[in-house]
Amino acid sequence: MKQAPDLWCWERRLYEAGYRFIAGVDEAGRGPLAGPVVAAAVVLPAALDLPGINDSKQLTPKQREELYLEICRRATAVGVGVVDVYYIQRYNILQATKRAMYSAVAKLKVNPDYLLIDAMRLDDLHLPQEGIIKGDTISASIAAASIVAKVRRDRIMLAWDKVYPGYGFARHKGYTTPEHLAALARFGPCPLHRLGFRPVEEAAGRSRCEE
């Protein structure tokens, strides 16, 4: 594993400006057809050496698990927010993502004085903040949050796979894959699926027609 170049540039600038507790915020699960959206907020000690830290999507499951344990052990604070499929369906995935992020920040054991958020702003939080496009590739704090959110969500989907074993959630984690679409076509949606997402709606329509 190789650390991304100058992953501390945003944090270093903020430390020099006098900020102390900088929280990186990111989510996992905006795109899947099933399951919750999970957000994490992570405050790291200044310039913490975490070899291999990077956007969670660039890491293998084994690398993510190893870094997750290191982050949880060495971070100043970690908060995780989970928003279920019912909220996603009632409002929308953007609002659900923000709600998960608000929850994650609220669960930090320290009060952050600056937020670095992956491609988002949390305007209801009256804190200095910056939404950074692809922030999980250029900020250590956001990258750490992306890893925590991804690992926690994957664990949730592994647990749900035991409740709804026919869909393959342990493998695809609810994302759109040929296996998942085939299971939807065969069984129709389960309570974990997000009604309103087109492939789920199409499968639900087929199920109603077959009744």
Side-chain angles (χ1 to χ4, degrees), residues 150-165:
K150 173 64 174 168
V151 170
R152 292 290 288 270
R153 187 179 188 279
D154 283 358
R155 291 180 178 183
I156 290 170
M157 296 306 293
L158 285 170
W160 278 115
D161 182 70
K162 297 176 182 177
V163 181
Y164 304 108

Side-chain angles (χ1 to χ4, degrees), residues 161-205:
D161 182 70
K162 297 176 182 177
V163 181
Y164 304 108
Y167 293 92
F169 291 135
R171 291 179 293 279
H172 54 66
K173 310 302 188 297
Y175 284 86
T176 307
T177 66
E179 176 191 10
H180 192 184
L181 293 175
L184 266 173
R186 181 179 179 186
F187 302 115
C190 75
L192 201 61
H193 282 99
R194 301 174 179 178
L195 297 177
F197 283 49
R198 180 176 294 177
V200 179
E201 284 292 315
E202 291 173 351

